[in-house]
Structure formats: C-alpha cells, structure tokens
Amino acid sequence: MPGHFEPIPGGGAAVALDDVEISIIRSLAVQLLELIGPGPGGEVSDDPLAELFAEGPSEPPSDAVLRRLLPDAYGGPGVSEREDPDELRAYSSEFRRFTENDLRAGKREDALAVIRSLDALSPAGDGGAVLKLSPEESVRWMRALNDLRLAIGTRLEITDEEDTDLLYRLPDEDARKPMVMAYLWLGGLQETLVETLMP
C-alpha cells in the first residue's frame, strides 16, 4: 500500500501516507482552494437558490491555471477553419456565464473533501497514517488529484507527452524539480486510485 492506492472492501480505496506526503497534498489542496476562490459575490452562500440563479463571469479567467481548469466550451484544437471565431467566443461566453460558478463550486468541494479527510487522519506510530476513502470520497479525491496535476502541469508548461518525458531528465539543481516530483507523484496516486474505481 505505501505510495499507491489499493481497493478496500466496500468499494473504497486506501493508501499509506507519511507526514510529509500528507502535508504536501494538504498544502496543494489549500493553494487550489485559494486559486479557485470563494463563491459568487465573494462569499460561499448559505442560500442554494441564490447560487442556482447567480450568473458567473462571461470572460475566461486571466490566470493560465484557471483557464486550464475552467476552459472555454467552444473553440480550441480541432475546431474547423469554417467556424466563425467570434461566434464561438460568443457561445463560450454564454455557456461560461451559466456554468462557471457550478464548476468552481464542484472543484472547491473536491479540494475541501481532500483537506477534511487528511485532517481527520489518526497518526500511526511510525509517523503518517493510512487514509481510507469511501467510494464517494474516492471519486472526489480522483477529481481533486486531476485538478492538482492540471494546475502544476500548467505552471510547468506541460502541453504533451514529450514535455513529460523531459521532466524525468531535469537536473536536481533545476528550480522546477520539486514541482516536477509532486506532479509525477500525484500522477502515480491518481492512476492507482482510478484503478481501484474500475469494476
């Protein structure tokens, strides 16, 4: 179990994490929460009906990571040259206005689920703990790990598989090395978690 998720009875997953790993994941999840930001109007609302009818922004975020986490619905690679770019921007703008708040809320909830489950861990005698997730928590963790990897990958300017291959060859003195190690480690965790969720 060290370093990777394994299935547990009842459909959940478990992984042994040491104190440093717990701290890293928690810190990254908190940073993701800060990046995603609070709900509409600057605060998380207690009124679900108000949130349902709140309109979100119509323009893509200025931050590259947020643009990756909250991409435009229309346009991008694979769009036919016959498509009108202005028309696609208008469609994306309208779609974003009615969906971005919900997307942000879901990503916030996933990151909070990670933080809460880590905070609830009981330390083991050797430092660290075994994290046990229900099937629902496993899905939240899978989505949060994906968001964390997308965020780090964007900061590292990873755009394709060749970029990932180059990461393995970075010299130890490269300032990006800690982020690269986190990116690769989170990828391993995510992959083994996905495997536990497969029937």
Side-chain angles (χ1 to χ4, degrees):
M1 184 184 315
H4 62 274
F5 280 96
E6 293 183 1
I8 57 175
V15 63
L17 298 170
D18 65 31
D19 289 338
V20 173
E21 293 168 332
I22 292 168
S23 176
I24 290 170
I25 296 172
R26 190 181 191 290
S27 174
L28 291 171
V30 167
Q31 290 176 57
L32 183 64
L33 272 177
E34 290 170 354
L35 182 65
I36 292 168
E43 298 176 3
V44 176
S45 172
D46 290 333
D47 182 0
L49 201 53
E51 282 190 24
L52 181 64
F53 293 105
E55 289 186 12
S58 58
E59 295 299 317
S62 59
D63 183 88
V65 171
L66 286 176
R67 279 196 310 274
R68 183 71 176 100
L69 293 174
L70 307 163
D72 277 334
Y74 302 94
V79 173
S80 167
E81 291 181 14
R82 294 177 296 189
E83 298 287 343
D84 178 4
D86 292 332
E87 192 174 292
L88 291 177
R89 271 192 294 278
Y91 291 154
S92 287
S93 177
E94 188 72 3
F95 188 80
R96 180 178 296 280
R97 205 161 55 95
F98 293 107
T99 60
E100 185 170 310
N101 286 342
D102 287 341
L103 285 172
R104 283 182 186 255
K107 291 179 185 304
R108 258 193 312 276
E109 284 303 313
D110 292 339
L112 281 170
V114 167
I115 293 166
R116 288 180 184 131
S117 58
L118 292 174
D119 288 349
L121 287 175
S122 300
D126 59 352
V130 174
L131 174 68
K132 293 183 180 176
L133 302 173
S134 69
E136 181 183 309
E137 291 169 325
S138 296
V139 171
R140 286 196 175 276
W141 262 76
M142 181 183 62
R143 291 190 304 240
L145 287 172
N146 186 61
D147 287 345
L148 290 173
R149 290 192 75 238
L150 285 173
I152 294 171
T154 302
R155 292 290 188 239
L156 290 170
E157 299 178 354
I158 296 170
T159 56
D160 58 32
E161 196 62 38
E162 286 180 21
D163 293 337
T164 306
D165 292 340
L166 294 174
L167 297 179
Y168 286 102
R169 297 191 291 275
L170 277 181
D172 289 340
E173 58 273 7
D174 192 303
R176 298 170 294 170
K177 191 73 171 195
M179 270 203 318
V180 168
M181 299 304 292
Y183 177 81
L184 297 172
W185 172 60
L186 291 173
L189 280 178
Q190 182 185 14
E191 184 178 336
T192 58
L193 182 55
V194 168
E195 288 170 2
T196 69
L197 297 173
M198 292 180 154

